[in-house]
């Protein structure tokens, strides 16, 4: 009888996360923050001495989302912060790779997202309207990343991500820093939002 392939990963917290059947009890913010701080956006094809991490991107998206939706609740902001959280274990696949892999990637992402959301007191499935608002913030962040560190011209970035409202990015810039700093800020922001939720 053939052995089943291993479908779980051991986390630094000691948790064993089953990718086929993830449970909220196997989710720890420290594992998420650590993983996301070491996962490079753009497949690492960015300028600078440090990779631009998914954790850094998530912090920026949450900031932009707050500008888009100034009356957003702490729960909604936490949902924005965690919008790419499954990537702490499955990595950040660029859109062309996602398209090539097909619906299996999307299903895996959905299962992990639901477990993560439940773990932190959020709805398992993000409501459609909120998801759209977070996606808008995500596109502004992607535009900034594309132009500032990924070698895109403004024209190219406008074509792929849409020209963002300058007010949404006013005073913001892409930060490249050591993973440990980003991990600490991501963990702190998560804690602050949880404290606001009460």
């Amino acid at each position: 009888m053939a052995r089943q392939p291993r479908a779980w990963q051991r986390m630094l917290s000691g948790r064993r996360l089953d990718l086929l059947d993830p449970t909220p009890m196997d989710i720890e913010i420290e594992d998420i923050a650590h993983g996301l701080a070491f996962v490079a956006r753009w497949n690492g094809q960015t300028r600078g001495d440090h990779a631009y991490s998914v954790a850094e991107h998530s912090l920026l998206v949450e900031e932009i989302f707050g500008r888009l939706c100034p009356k957003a609740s702490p729960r909604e902001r936490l949902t924005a912060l965690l919008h790419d959280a499954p990537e702490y274990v499955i990595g950040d696949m660029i859109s062309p790779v996602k398209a090539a892999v097909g619906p299996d990637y999307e299903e895996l992402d959905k299962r992990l997202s639901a477990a993560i959301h439940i773990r932190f007191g959020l709805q398992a499935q993000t409501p459609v309207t909120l998801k759209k608002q977070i996606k808008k913030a995500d596109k502004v962040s992607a535009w900034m990343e594309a132009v500032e560190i990924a070698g895109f011209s403004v024209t190219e970035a406008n074509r792929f991500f849409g020209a963002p409202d300058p007010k949404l990015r006013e005073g913001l810039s892409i930060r490249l820093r050591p993973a440990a700093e980003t991990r600490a800020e991501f963990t702190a922001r998560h804690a602050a939002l949880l404290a606001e939720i009460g």
Side-chain angles (χ1 to χ4, degrees):
M1 182 193 268
R3 279 180 75 160
Q4 290 288 348
R6 179 170 65 91
W8 56 267
Q9 180 173 345
R10 178 75 62 198
M11 299 292 142
L12 287 178
S13 64
R15 300 280 189 191
R16 190 171 108 160
L17 182 65
D18 183 341
L19 299 180
L20 299 179
D21 187 23
T23 69
M25 295 304 294
D26 294 323
I27 308 291
E28 295 293 345
I29 193 58
E30 292 80 11
D31 293 332
I32 293 172
H34 181 82
L36 294 183
F38 283 91
V39 172
R41 296 257 303 158
W42 303 92
N43 274 356
Q45 297 300 307
T46 52
R47 297 184 189 104
D49 293 331
H50 297 285
Y52 185 71
S53 72
V54 175
E56 196 76 70
H57 163 79
S58 298
L59 288 161
L60 181 59
V61 168
E62 192 254 330
E63 173 72 26
I64 295 166
F65 171 75
R67 291 177 178 200
L68 266 171
C69 306
K71 294 184 179 177
S73 70
R75 273 194 170 83
E76 291 168 330
R77 291 195 68 146
L78 182 58
T79 303
L81 181 70
L82 296 172
H83 78 283
D84 279 338
E87 294 178 10
Y88 86 104
V89 70
I90 59 176
D92 178 34
M93 284 197 197
I94 59 173
S95 295
V97 176
K98 286 180 187 173
V101 171
D104 289 344
Y105 178 88
E106 190 175 334
E107 284 306 310
L108 180 57
D109 187 271
K110 280 182 185 175
R111 282 195 301 270
L112 284 163
S113 285
I116 291 164
H117 285 184
I118 292 167
R119 170 67 175 86
F120 300 115
L122 304 173
Q123 290 179 283
Q125 302 296 324
T126 303
V128 173
T129 304
L130 176 57
K131 196 169 192 166
K132 285 181 180 175
Q133 292 297 334
I134 293 170
K135 189 65 184 170
K136 282 183 188 175
D138 193 39
K139 284 190 170 187
V140 174
S141 178
W143 186 95
M144 291 174 64
E145 295 162 27
V147 170
E148 291 184 38
I149 59 170
F152 283 57
S153 68
V154 169
T155 303
E156 279 181 312
N158 287 349
R159 187 168 65 243
F160 289 110
F161 309 109
D165 180 344
K167 287 183 220 160
L168 291 175
R169 54 190 179 85
E170 189 176 334
L172 299 176
S173 62
I174 300 302
R175 292 190 291 181
L176 300 173
R177 54 186 169 159
E181 289 179 25
T182 308
R183 177 181 62 207
E185 186 175 332
F186 186 95
T187 305
R189 184 61 185 144
H190 177 268
L193 288 167
L194 279 184
E196 286 183 50
I197 291 168

